[in-house]
């Protein structure tokens, strides 16, 4: 067993930071900076629009145009929701070749043929957004750049170019991802040397901590086959979190009816589902099945509300707008004297009097043990009412860092609970100084898509259960029923609302609260 205690937070190192950690929610969710680089294939097939259609109001978009629009939409969303994240666009297969230039010279003297860096990997500037918008709105202007090369591009050079971009522009980022959009499932079918070189470059990216996400586009007459080439490039696990599940993306099909909007929506949905980086809520937390039998697990927040992030405050009272820097000072009431940190004591009111406690006494009062998930029993799933789910669930996945063999034991526990339709009851302390909760451990089965891709990996869900004082009485309300005429009118509206496969997938719909129009 390793001596690491990765479930500790920065507050554990101090003497006062963890005192507000009594609620287990997303407050301890560590936000990291994310770097996304689009690599879009510019080939004759990617530039060809879909077949014409007689349908009205049909907008025919070529796959390259749809990919650029997806990148533009994602850039707009990130400016509002994640202003510190960086994003770039790399076109490969172009006749013209450009890379970052410093004083008129290519960086490090390296040249990457048929690679055009449209937008450098950086926080999107106003000029980048305007340039991309002009290309999206006027594809005739973009045709000056989107000229396919007469000779095939080497994927090894594309991946090496991406490697240099990530190393120089996002070297210290925790999350780095490369989005490849292409319809060519076998770029080097007859050249084994180029295939091997591309596999080596992909391994270099993986060692650097870059996740390669493939967004394949299937042609109307041919399906995209990953096994021909890209299975050797795409790693199923995350380099920064090897134990985390990494489902793959299904191939986006080009519409045979000429409906370019269908291609745009499908590609945008696939990219939106991967837009948010996977981040752990806690890592290497002990899961105690019985006394003396422990395994190590990691917890993930699968659903988390995205809010517009305020990067700074701007003061507009002077002649020029300036970034405001906030400071906090505590003063005595009445005298306005600055109160030093050592003069402040914490107290609770008992019997009308203030009883002061030292920091050590408060820490001892709040200490219920080290962070742990301790199973205290098992119950049938029928005993868990629907109203008991009052807080968000945490997805658990095994980790081999602290306890070797955790994956095998975790899998046996998950399969046993799933087979017997039972749940576990656990004593759960997420982090030091957090209030303990009673939680239900619910098994989750693996879910596959239509093409056999993994939509949801198997695992366990940790659902905090409410205490008696968390349950409230239903308010007294008067039941108001709508007249039959309104019900009949609303029935027509509801019948027009159709979701794909009659299921709502929140990963495929952007939050309007983080869109530029509502920010």
């Amino acid at each position: 067993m390793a001596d690491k205690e990765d479930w500790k937070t920065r507050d554990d190192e101090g003497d006062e930071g963890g005192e507000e950690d009594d609620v287990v929610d997303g407050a301890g969710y560590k936000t990291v900076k994310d770097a996304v680089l689009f690599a879009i294939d510019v080939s004759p097939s990617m530039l060809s629009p879909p077949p014409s259609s007689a349908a009205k109001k049909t907008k025919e978009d070529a796959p390259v145009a749809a990919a650029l629009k997806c990148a533009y939409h994602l850039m707009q969303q990130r400016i509002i929701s994640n202003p510190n994240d960086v994003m770039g666009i790399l076109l490969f297969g172009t006749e013209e070749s450009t890379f970052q230039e410093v004083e008129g010279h290519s960086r490090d003297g390296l040249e990457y043929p048929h690679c055009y860096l449209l937008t450098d990997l950086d926080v999107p500037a106003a000029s980048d957004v305007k340039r991309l918008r002009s290309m999206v709105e006027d594809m005739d202007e973009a045709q000056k750049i989107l000229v396919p090369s007469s000779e095939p591009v080497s994927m090894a050079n594309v991946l090496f170019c991406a490697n240099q971009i990530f190393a120089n522009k996002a070297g210290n980022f925790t999350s780095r991802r490369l989005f490849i959009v292409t319809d060519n499932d076998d770029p080097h079918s007859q050249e084994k040397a180029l295939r091997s070189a591309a596999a080596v470059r992909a391994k270099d990216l993986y060692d650097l901590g870059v996740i390669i996400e493939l967004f394949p586009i299937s042609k109307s007459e041919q399906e995209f086959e990953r096994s021909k080439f890209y299975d050797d490039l795409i790693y199923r696990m995350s380099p920064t979190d090897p134990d985390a599940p990494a489902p793959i993306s299904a191939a986006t099909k080009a519409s045979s009816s000429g409906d370019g909007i269908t291609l745009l929506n499908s590609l945008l949905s696939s990219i939106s589902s991967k837009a948010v980086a996977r981040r752990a809520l806690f890592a290497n937390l002990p899961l105690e099945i019985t006394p003396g039998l422990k395994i190590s697990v990691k917890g993930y927040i699968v659903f988390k509300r995205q809010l517009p992030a305020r990067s700074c405050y701007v003061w507009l009272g002077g002649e020029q707008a300036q970034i405001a820097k906030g400071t906090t000072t505590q003063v005595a009431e009445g005298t306005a004297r600055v109160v030093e940190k050592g003069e402040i004591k914490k107290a609770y009111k008992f019997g009308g009097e203030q009883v002061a406690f030292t920091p050590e006494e408060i820490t001892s009062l709040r200490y219920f043990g080290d962070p742990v998930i301790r199973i205290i029993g098992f119950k049938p799933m029928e005993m868990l009412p629907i109203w008991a789910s009052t807080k968000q669930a945490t997805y658990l996945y095994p980790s081999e860092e602290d306890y070797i063999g955790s994956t095998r034991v975790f899998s046996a526990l998950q399969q046993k609970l799933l087979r017997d339709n039972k749940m576990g009851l656990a004593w759960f302390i997420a982090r030091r100084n957090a209030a303990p909760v009673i939680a239900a451990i619910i098994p989750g089965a693996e879910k596959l898509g239509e093409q056999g891709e993994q939509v949801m990996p198997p695992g366990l869900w940790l659902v905090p259960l409410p205490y008696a004082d968390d349950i409230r009485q239903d308010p007294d309300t008067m039941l108001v029923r709508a007249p039959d005429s309104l019900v009949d009118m609303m029935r027509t509206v509801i019948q027009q609302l159709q979701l794909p496969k009659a299921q709502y997938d929140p990963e495929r719909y952007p939050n309007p609260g983080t869109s530029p129009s509502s920010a």
Side-chain angles (χ1 to χ4, degrees):
M1 188 186 88
D3 293 331
K4 301 178 187 176
E5 294 182 345
D6 293 344
W7 35 260
K8 291 184 178 180
T9 61
R10 292 189 301 268
D11 296 338
D12 300 332
E13 305 299 332
D15 57 354
E16 60 180 5
E19 297 179 1
E20 302 298 328
D21 241 358
D22 58 343
V23 179
V24 180
D25 54 11
Y29 186 77
K30 183 179 179 181
T31 302
V32 297
K33 297 170 69 176
D34 186 29
V36 173
L37 177 64
F38 275 84
I40 302 175
D41 186 9
V42 181
S43 61
S45 58
M46 289 284 288
L47 290 171
S48 301
S52 59
S53 173
K56 295 182 178 181
K57 298 182 180 179
T58 297
K59 188 175 182 180
E60 299 180 359
D61 284 330
V64 169
L68 289 175
K69 289 183 179 180
C70 291
Y72 176 64
H73 289 312
L74 184 61
M75 182 179 292
Q76 284 183 311
Q77 295 174 13
R78 293 208 155 208
I79 290 175
I80 304 300
S81 60
N82 305 92
N84 295 323
D85 291 351
V86 298
M87 179 178 167
I89 301 175
L90 175 67
L91 307 176
F92 65 94
T94 58
E95 187 66 31
E96 187 177 356
S97 305
T98 63
F99 193 56
Q100 298 109 325
E101 294 186 355
V102 180
E103 296 180 358
H105 299 283
S106 178
R107 178 181 297 174
D108 298 333
L110 299 176
E111 295 182 358
Y112 306 96
H114 309 303
C115 293
Y116 190 96
L117 188 61
L118 181 64
T119 303
D120 202 357
L121 188 64
D122 204 343
V123 176
S127 57
D128 298 330
V129 178
K130 291 179 179 179
R131 182 185 184 187
L132 188 58
R133 182 178 62 184
S134 63
M135 292 185 62
V136 168
E137 295 177 350
D138 186 8
M139 291 305 298
D140 294 335
E141 182 70 20
Q143 295 301 328
K144 300 177 182 179
I145 301 175
L146 303 177
V147 178
S149 61
S150 56
E151 57 183 12
V153 62
S154 172
M155 289 302 299
N157 286 339
V158 175
L159 297 177
F160 189 39
C161 178
N163 191 320
Q164 293 298 309
I165 295 173
F166 279 113
N168 289 279
K169 302 294 292 186
N172 59 347
F173 278 49
T174 305
S175 173
R176 288 170 288 186
R177 294 178 292 167
L178 176 65
F179 288 178
I180 300 179
V181 183
T182 181
D183 64 348
N184 188 0
D185 55 3
D186 196 5
H188 305 307
S189 58
Q190 304 296 332
E191 301 177 358
K192 294 184 178 180
L194 292 179
R195 293 172 63 95
S196 300
V200 171
R201 294 303 183 189
K203 183 62 169 61
D204 293 340
L205 281 172
Y206 179 81
D207 294 338
L208 186 64
V210 178
I211 301 174
I212 301 178
E213 298 279 6
L214 177 64
F215 296 94
I217 298 177
S218 292
K219 304 174 185 177
S220 57
E221 69 279 0
Q222 182 181 0
E223 290 288 336
F224 193 99
E225 297 184 20
R226 299 170 181 268
S227 58
K228 290 184 177 180
F229 178 75
Y230 283 97
D231 276 352
D232 297 333
L233 271 64
I234 308 300
Y235 287 81
R236 294 288 187 263
M237 62 184 66
S238 168
T240 57
D241 196 358
D243 299 314
I248 60 177
S249 301
T252 302
K253 296 183 179 180
S255 176
S256 59
S257 63
D259 188 1
I261 297 179
T262 303
L263 172 62
L264 174 61
N265 293 337
S266 301
L267 189 58
L268 185 59
S269 298
S270 300
I271 292 178
S272 297
S273 64
K274 299 282 186 178
V276 181
R278 184 174 57 250
R279 300 158 185 169
L281 176 64
F282 52 78
N284 303 331
L285 191 67
L287 172 58
E288 183 177 326
I289 301 176
T290 60
L293 177 58
K294 294 182 180 180
I295 62 175
S296 181
V297 295
K298 293 184 178 181
Y300 299 87
I301 297 180
V302 178
F303 299 102
K304 186 177 188 295
R305 184 180 181 185
Q306 298 289 320
L307 298 174
R310 184 187 296 273
S311 58
C312 60
Y313 289 91
V314 180
W315 182 64
L316 302 176
E319 297 181 357
Q320 280 187 334
Q322 298 179 358
I323 297 179
K325 297 181 179 180
T327 59
T328 302
T329 303
Q330 294 178 328
V331 297
E333 184 179 3
T335 62
R337 182 180 63 86
V338 176
V339 179
E340 300 295 335
K341 184 177 179 180
E343 302 179 65
I344 300 175
K345 294 183 180 181
K346 294 189 177 181
Y348 291 92
K349 183 177 290 187
F350 292 98
E353 296 183 1
Q354 296 285 350
V355 181
F357 292 89
T358 62
E360 293 78 10
E361 291 174 338
I362 293 179
T363 301
S364 63
L365 289 173
R366 297 172 58 87
Y367 181 73
F368 290 92
D370 291 332
V372 69
I373 303 174
R374 181 179 297 113
I375 296 179
I376 58 179
F378 298 93
K379 293 290 183 180
M381 284 294 299
E382 294 79 8
M383 297 187 64
L384 183 64
I386 187 64
W387 49 261
S389 179
T390 59
K391 298 180 181 179
Q392 62 184 3
T394 303
Y395 178 76
L396 301 181
Y397 207 75
S399 172
E400 295 282 339
E401 292 188 22
D402 283 357
Y403 298 93
I404 304 299
S406 295
T407 303
R408 184 172 299 178
V409 177
F410 184 92
S411 177
L413 176 63
Q414 183 262 348
Q415 295 178 24
K416 178 64 175 177
L417 293 177
L418 198 62
R419 184 169 55 251
D420 295 348
N421 196 26
K422 291 185 178 294
M423 66 175 181
L425 291 178
W427 171 268
F428 174 45
I429 301 178
R431 50 192 175 271
R432 183 163 295 176
N433 294 332
V437 297
I438 302 296
I441 299 180
I442 302 176
E446 182 183 24
K447 294 182 180 180
L448 301 178
E450 293 182 349
Q451 302 178 3
E453 76 277 6
Q454 191 182 69
V455 178
M456 179 64 69
L460 297 176
W461 294 86
L462 189 72
V463 181
L465 300 178
Y467 290 106
D469 52 357
D470 294 331
I471 303 173
R472 302 177 182 178
Q473 295 294 330
D474 295 334
D476 295 332
T477 57
M478 295 292 295
L479 181 60
V480 179
R481 292 187 179 275
D484 294 339
S485 58
L486 291 180
V487 173
D488 293 338
M489 295 175 64
M490 195 62 193
R491 182 179 290 110
T492 305
V493 176
I494 297 299
Q495 290 175 350
Q496 299 299 323
L497 298 177
Q498 296 181 357
L499 292 174
K501 305 175 187 177
Q503 293 181 351
Y504 174 73
D505 185 4
E507 292 185 349
R508 297 185 177 274
Y509 299 93
N511 184 2
T514 60
S515 63
S517 59
S518 60

